């Protein structure tokens, strides 16, 4: 049995979705599909919340956008009147539930984390209803189960929930096992679960990958397949490096590092539920489903030159906290990190020296992070600096920390194109080396490193 996750990126346009439906019909019997919202739908739901707060007059427009997005696809894929009408009826019922939630928001003037999670979870629910109706209309046996009805249990942390794997395994085996025996095509919406208190809790943006991994681990699947609109992991971003190569095989840790800072192919926590079962993950391209793609395994053969990929992330904002002796004075880091966490800001990474703590944030959080730290009393720092025009480069590969001369080769390449390296982190991760460069130097640095390590194709 396979668990197959279908990403929102490929659930786009009636032609593509029609093609995916055919693939499901051909390869789906007895397997579990975990699906994302149709492309753009989660964004509409989330933007809708601030629009609804602003003015209730915005609400009908949001609802009709959601409706027309799904109806347009349904009209194309569900040809029989009976099935089409039922789909539209169910859709309208769910939409009026969402409409009530938006009016509630406007009335109470308050967007709670609970409300945010409930509203953003609806996209995935629409997708399962759409795909199941379309398959049934073609005479294919398909059904779905909602995560909150089958006990996909979380720790209750809104927006960033973690699954209780032990209890969830038991619940899912009870509820889903019999359906699989009947060789059904079974759909589960990704992205959310339910807390012990009965609240819908999401796993953060892109969290359907994590849902799929939970299902694969809990149901002891043979493999987790992730269907996407890209061929797999590449040795660099092809926009910068046109000769970038597909990475045929990589380890859990390499994939996790690349998910965090580099190519956003997977949700960073996808490998967690798979570690004990040691399941493999195959990244498949829906446009070319028989191509090998990338395979992620618990360990992976070390590549000859150690490096699998040169990734980069431009969504980086840096807060530099200058204070003498931060390395020796206890508590400064805890104070600063505590203040950011309280303001709901996620710290992507930290680099410290004796005189400065550098906090890497998402760009969107830089301004509010800066304000949050400025308001700390008494001030635990001398000066606060905010930097927005930098990007992070990471070179990733098993054994990179042990391989001799890798850092030297990397920085020689960067220096060779006259690029200044601003901050380096090497060692905290066993499989990655990180550093920062100015945005204007990013492209040159990435392609120089790539040609140093990949000029001969040795990473097979
Ligand atoms: N639809 C959700 C998002 O856009 C979850 C996912 O697609 O994985 O973040
Ligand atoms: Mg995704």
């Amino acid at each position: 049995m396979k668990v197959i996750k279908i990403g929102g990126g490929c659930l786009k346009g009636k032609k593509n979705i029609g093609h995916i439906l055919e693939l499901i019909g051909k390869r789906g019997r007895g397997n579990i599909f975990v699906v994302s919202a149709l492309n753009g739908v989660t964004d509409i739901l989330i933007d809708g919340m601030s629009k609804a707060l602003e003015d209730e007059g915005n609400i009908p427009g949001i609802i009709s956008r959601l409706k027309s997005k799904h109806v347009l696809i349904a009209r194309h894929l569900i040809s029989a009147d009976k099935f089409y009408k039922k789909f539209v009826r169910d859709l309208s019922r769910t939409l009026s539930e969402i409409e009530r939630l938006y009016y509630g928001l406007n009335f109470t003037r308050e967007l709670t984390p609970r409300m945010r999670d409930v509203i953003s979870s609806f996209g995935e629910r629409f997708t399962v209803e759409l795909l199941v109706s379309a398959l049934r209309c073609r005479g294919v046996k398909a059904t779905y189960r909602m995560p909150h009805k089958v006990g996909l249990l979380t720790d209750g942390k809104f927006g960033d929930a973690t699954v209780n794997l032990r209890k969830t395994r038991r619940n899912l085996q009870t509820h889903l096992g019999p359906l699989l025996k009947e060789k059904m095509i079974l759909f589960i919406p990704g992205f959310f679960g339910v807390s012990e208190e009965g609240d819908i809790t999401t796993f953060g943006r892109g969290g359907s990958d994590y849902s799929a991994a939970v299902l694969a681990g809990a149901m002891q699947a043979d493999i987790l397949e992730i269907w996407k609109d890209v061929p797999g992991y590449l040795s660099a971003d092809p926009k910068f490096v046109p000769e970038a190569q597909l990475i045929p095989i990589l380890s859990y840790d390499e994939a996790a590092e690349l998910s965090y800072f580099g190519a956003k192919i997977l949700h960073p926590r996808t490998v967690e539920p798979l570690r004990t079962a040691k399941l493999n993950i195959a990244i498949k391209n829906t446009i070319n489903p028989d191509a090998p793609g990338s395979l992620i395994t618990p360990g992976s053969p070390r590549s000859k030159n150690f490096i699998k990929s040169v990734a980069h992330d431009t969504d980086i904002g840096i807060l530099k906290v200058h204070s003498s002796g931060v390395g020796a004075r206890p508590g400064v880091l805890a104070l600063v990190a505590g203040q950011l966490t309280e303001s709901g800001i996620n710290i992507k990474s930290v680099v410290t020296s004796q005189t400065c703590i550098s906090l890497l944030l998402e760009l969107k959080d830089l301004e509010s992070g800066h304000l949050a730290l400025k308001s700390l009393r008494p001030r635990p720092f001398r000066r606060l600096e905010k930097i927005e025009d930098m990007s992070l480069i990471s070179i990733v590969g098993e054994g990179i920390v042990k391989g001799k001369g890798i850092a030297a080769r990397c920085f020689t390449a960067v220096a060779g194109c006259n690029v200044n390296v601003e901050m380096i982190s090497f060692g905290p991760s066993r499989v990655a080396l990180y550093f920062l460069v100015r945005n204007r130097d990013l492209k040159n640095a990435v392609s120089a490193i790539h040609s140093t390590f990949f000029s001969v194709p040795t990473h097979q």
Side-chain angles (χ1 to χ4, degrees):
M1 188 268 293
K2 290 178 182 178
V3 171
I4 299 169
K5 187 256 170 175
I6 309 179
C10 47
L11 292 168
K12 185 179 185 179
K14 41 191 186 188
K15 260 219 189 116
N16 282 332
I17 302 178
H19 165 68
I20 286 172
L21 209 60
E22 253 172 58
L23 280 181
I24 298 174
K26 277 193 211 133
R27 304 178 181 209
R29 260 172 67 96
N31 293 324
I32 300 178
F33 287 85
V34 175
V35 294
S36 289
L38 300 193
N39 194 277
V41 166
T42 310
D43 288 332
I44 301 179
L45 288 163
I46 292 176
D47 294 346
M49 296 184 224
S50 38
K51 290 203 180 106
L53 273 173
E54 237 168 70
D55 182 353
E56 66 173 13
N58 291 332
I59 297 171
I62 309 162
I63 300 296
S64 77
R65 267 187 83 195
L66 289 167
K67 183 163 189 175
S68 64
K69 253 196 169 277
H70 292 91
V71 165
L72 196 78
I73 310 284
R75 205 176 285 140
H76 181 74
L77 295 181
I78 312 178
S79 51
D81 227 30
K82 187 179 99 191
F83 288 96
Y84 174 73
K85 282 199 175 127
K86 177 167 184 328
F87 172 76
V88 175
R89 244 190 346 262
D90 292 345
L91 177 72
S92 306
R93 199 174 309 127
T94 316
L95 283 170
S96 53
E97 202 179 313
I98 301 177
E99 193 173 22
R100 280 203 299 278
L101 293 172
Y102 280 136
Y103 279 110
L105 268 186
N106 182 273
F107 185 72
T108 57
R109 300 254 152 235
E110 195 189 9
L111 177 53
T112 58
R114 173 183 288 110
M115 188 71 126
R116 177 183 278 280
D117 270 19
V118 174
I119 294 180
S120 40
S121 73
F122 276 99
E124 290 37 38
R125 310 194 212 185
F126 291 140
T127 311
V128 294
E129 296 199 2
L130 178 69
L131 295 179
V132 167
S133 306
L135 286 166
R136 283 187 182 158
C137 168
R138 288 164 164 73
V140 179
K141 268 172 78 180
T143 191
Y144 64 79
R145 290 292 180 273
M146 290 294 167
H148 48 304
K149 299 284 168 65
V150 293
L152 204 151
L153 274 185
T154 71
D155 62 357
K157 190 162 177 228
F158 294 110
D160 186 26
T162 300
V163 169
N164 178 327
L165 291 171
R166 200 173 45 83
K167 289 189 181 167
T168 297
R169 184 177 309 125
R170 203 184 48 214
N171 292 342
L172 293 185
Q173 285 186 353
T174 313
H175 287 100
L176 309 182
L179 295 169
L180 292 175
K181 283 209 187 86
E182 288 173 44
K183 290 282 167 212
M184 277 278 186
I185 300 185
L186 175 60
F187 286 86
I188 312 279
F191 190 36
F192 69 97
V194 65
S195 70
E196 302 263 6
E197 290 73 38
D199 287 317
I200 298 283
T201 35
T202 67
F203 306 126
R205 295 308 303 267
S208 298
D209 296 334
Y210 177 66
S211 306
V214 166
L215 270 131
M219 299 303 291
Q220 294 163 321
D222 302 317
I223 192 166
L224 168 61
E225 280 188 10
I226 309 267
W227 289 7
K228 293 192 72 77
D229 54 351
V230 295
Y233 283 90
L234 296 177
S235 58
D237 183 341
K239 272 190 239 119
F240 285 5
V241 182
E243 65 279 14
Q245 305 156 15
L246 180 81
I247 311 174
I249 181 161
L250 59 167
S251 69
Y252 280 174
D253 288 346
E254 289 169 340
E257 287 294 346
L258 287 171
S259 305
Y260 201 53
F261 279 127
K264 306 260 180 324
I265 302 251
L266 281 184
H267 185 274
R269 284 163 53 203
T270 311
V271 295
E272 275 171 34
L274 303 175
R275 276 193 198 271
T276 20
K278 297 198 165 58
L279 284 185
N280 291 347
I281 310 172
I283 310 287
K284 292 275 176 193
N285 188 354
T286 51
I287 301 156
N288 189 4
D290 293 318
S294 294
L295 188 71
I296 304 167
T297 61
S300 105
R302 203 178 266 183
S303 65
K304 262 197 220 139
N305 57 11
F306 293 102
I307 307 299
K308 292 275 176 72
S309 187
V310 186
H312 68 268
D313 189 351
T314 50
D315 183 16
I316 295 281
I318 302 157
L319 276 180
K320 281 191 168 186
V321 180
H322 297 273
S323 167
S324 39
V326 275
R329 264 170 51 200
V332 181
L333 184 57
L335 263 176
V336 164
Q339 177 77 352
L340 292 176
T341 309
E342 238 166 68
S343 321
I345 292 169
N346 180 37
I347 304 171
K348 285 181 141 188
S349 193
V350 186
V351 185
T352 69
S353 71
Q354 281 303 319
T355 55
C356 177
I357 301 172
S358 299
L359 300 148
L360 270 55
L361 310 179
E362 283 170 43
L363 207 46
K364 70 166 175 38
D365 291 334
L366 187 61
E367 196 51 52
S368 46
H370 188 237
L371 286 175
L373 294 193
K374 255 173 58 182
S375 69
L376 268 177
R377 292 290 177 280
R379 279 197 173 181
F381 48 80
R382 196 163 32 82
R383 191 161 63 88
L384 206 56
E385 195 184 345
K386 186 174 72 172
I387 305 171
E388 30 194 321
D389 65 335
M390 287 207 142
S391 294
L392 183 125
I393 298 181
S394 48
I395 58 173
V396 175
E398 286 286 342
I400 198 174
V401 177
K402 290 206 188 105
K404 289 206 178 65
I406 302 215
R409 277 175 77 195
C410 170
F411 293 121
T412 307
V414 176
C417 50
N418 232 346
V419 168
N420 192 29
V421 171
E422 303 270 342
M423 203 185 290
I424 303 171
S425 169
F426 193 25
S429 160
R430 227 172 27 84
V431 299
L433 179 164
Y434 297 112
F435 57 95
L436 293 159
V437 298
R438 295 278 161 194
N439 284 345
R440 59 168 188 270
D441 295 328
L442 178 64
K443 186 168 187 269
N444 284 345
V446 169
S447 51
I449 300 167
H450 193 273
S451 47
T452 294
F453 288 102
F454 291 91
S455 48
V456 270
T458 50
H459 81 295
Q460 297 300 312

